Amino acid sequence: MKPNPRQLNLLAFVQAQGSVTVEYLADKLGVTLQTVRRDVQRLADEGLLTRFHGGVRVPSSTVENIAHQQRENLHAQGKDRIARAVAQAVPGDCSLILNIGTTTEAIARALLHHSGLRVITNNLNVATILSANPKCEVIVVGGVVRGRDQGIVGEAAVDFISQFKVDIAIIGISGIELDGSLRDYDFREVKVSQTIISHAREVWLAADSSKFNRPAMVEVGHLAQIDRLFTDAAPPEPFPTLLTEAQVRLELAL
């Protein structure tokens, strides 16, 4: 299922509030309760929302991410804006690492007209996208392929990445919590992401606005390890203060 514009707006309202009533959504969207209930049911069936008596909330599991295909549809416009902003900031003739995630896949598509890039990735989707650019060299990390999203994880991936020092690491993340910690779900993926961060001269985080205050089980790192944050809306409190304290340059892709 690909959510329609009204359903995407519904998801955005729920993401912003955490949990809302059906009546609130009907008022905000200017539609009937019946329409909202129908949309909510369809989105809940896809695992994008969780229903409770009288309302809905964002799925709040700290141990498992939303499925890859569902994440592709969520916040797609925001991810595309982020991707364009990142691509505009990436110079030609530089080395990059792109990690696992639908946002980094959008960035790969936005880099298709760059030249002189050498890209290391543990994301087979990124590798497939960028292999269509004849002016870009793609290096695929070795390791275990995670079937659900074509990500490459494990100790072999860590060892492979440890050989390099790139100009820019461009990473996605599952959640940024109120203490400034960057979090994800799979410990094997996290070990690879930590290695990516430590083997780059600059680290750019690409995260749509739904990632703020989203819980996940495993800590990847902290905002203090990030040089630039690309997002699609102004972060809510207390994140502006956290970004200032961590000396992270905020890039809003509006």
Side-chain angles (χ1 to χ4, degrees), residues 79-80 82-84 86-87 90 96-99 101-114 117 119-121 123-133 136 138 170 206:
K79 290 174 184 177
D80 285 343
I82 291 168
R84 289 194 295 270
V86 170
V90 171
L96 307 172
I97 297 180
L98 272 67
N99 75 342
T102 55
T103 304
T104 51
E105 290 163 21
I107 291 167
R109 286 189 287 271
L111 291 172
L112 279 173
H113 299 293
H114 274 56
L117 298 182
V119 180
I120 302 166
T121 185
N123 184 335
L124 290 181
N125 293 323
V126 165
T128 300
I129 293 165
L130 283 175
S131 65
N133 181 352
C136 174
V138 181
I170 303 173

Side-chain angles (χ1 to χ4, degrees), residues 167-225:
D167 297 320
I168 305 166
I170 303 173
I171 65 170
I173 202 71
S174 290
I176 310 171
E177 295 207 17
L178 292 173
D179 61 356
S181 62
L182 311 176
R183 294 193 167 270
D184 227 308
Y185 296 92
D186 187 333
F187 180 76
R188 298 173 303 164
E189 178 182 350
V190 164
K191 294 295 289 183
V192 177
S193 295
Q194 289 170 339
T195 306
I196 289 171
I197 289 171
S198 64
H199 285 79
R201 295 178 180 88
E202 284 191 36
V203 181
W204 298 1
L205 176 61
D208 68 74
S209 55
S210 72
K211 304 301 174 61
F212 294 105
N213 199 24
R214 183 185 181 204
M217 188 174 68
V218 191
E219 183 170 343
V220 178
H222 192 273
L223 283 173
Q225 296 171 270

Side-chain angles (χ1 to χ4, degrees), residues 4-250:
N4 62 37
R6 184 185 65 247
Q7 291 164 346
L8 289 172
N9 285 335
L10 188 157
L11 285 169
F13 284 128
V14 179
Q15 290 276 4
Q17 300 294 323
S19 63
V20 295
T21 65
V22 173
E23 289 79 7
Y24 172 90
L25 291 171
D27 179 65
K28 286 291 185 180
L29 295 168
V31 297
T32 65
L33 289 173
Q34 183 180 10
T35 297
V36 169
R37 291 191 181 103
R38 184 168 60 247
D39 285 346
V40 163
Q41 184 60 58
R42 289 175 179 170
L43 294 168
D45 289 343
E46 293 294 319
L48 300 176
L49 293 176
T50 299
R51 300 181 68 185
F52 62 89
H53 182 67
V56 293
R57 58 181 169 82
V58 178
S60 57
S61 172
T62 62
V63 298
E64 186 173 1
N65 204 356
I66 300 169
H68 181 269
Q69 186 173 2
Q70 295 169 341
R71 285 186 283 125
E72 279 190 311
N73 294 327
L74 277 174
H75 307 285
Q77 292 181 347
K79 290 174 184 177
D80 285 343
R81 295 201 305 272
I82 291 168
R84 289 194 295 270
V86 170
Q88 188 173 9
V90 171
D93 301 304
C94 74
S95 56
L96 307 172
I97 297 180
L98 272 67
N99 75 342
I100 301 169
T102 55
T103 304
T104 51
E105 290 163 21
I107 291 167
R109 286 189 287 271
L111 291 172
L112 279 173
H113 299 293
H114 274 56
S115 62
L117 298 182
R118 177 170 290 181
V119 180
I120 302 166
T121 185
N122 65 322
N123 184 335
L124 290 181
N125 293 323
V126 165
T128 300
I129 293 165
L130 283 175
S131 65
N133 181 352
K135 298 180 180 179
C136 174
E137 180 180 83
V138 181
I139 302 170
V140 179
V141 170
V144 178
V145 178
R146 198 169 60 185
R148 68 175 183 266
D149 60 3
Q150 303 300 295
I152 301 172
V153 297
E155 288 301 318
V158 170
D159 292 342
F160 187 90
I161 292 167
S162 297
Q163 302 175 77
F164 300 91
K165 189 78 170 183
V166 299
D167 297 320
I168 305 166
I170 303 173
I171 65 170
I173 202 71
S174 290
I176 310 171
E177 295 207 17
L178 292 173
D179 61 356
S181 62
L182 311 176
R183 294 193 167 270
D184 227 308
Y185 296 92
D186 187 333
F187 180 76
R188 298 173 303 164
E189 178 182 350
V190 164
K191 294 295 289 183
V192 177
S193 295
Q194 289 170 339
T195 306
I196 289 171
I197 289 171
S198 64
H199 285 79
R201 295 178 180 88
E202 284 191 36
V203 181
W204 298 1
L205 176 61
D208 68 74
S209 55
S210 72
K211 304 301 174 61
F212 294 105
N213 199 24
R214 183 185 181 204
M217 188 174 68
V218 191
E219 183 170 343
V220 178
H222 192 273
L223 283 173
Q225 296 171 270
I226 303 302
D227 296 290
R228 299 169 77 168
L229 168 62
F230 292 79
T231 189
D232 61 327
E237 294 295 341
F239 294 102
T241 300
L242 292 174
L243 291 168
T244 299
E245 291 173 348
Q247 299 182 344
V248 179
R249 178 175 169 180
L250 177 62

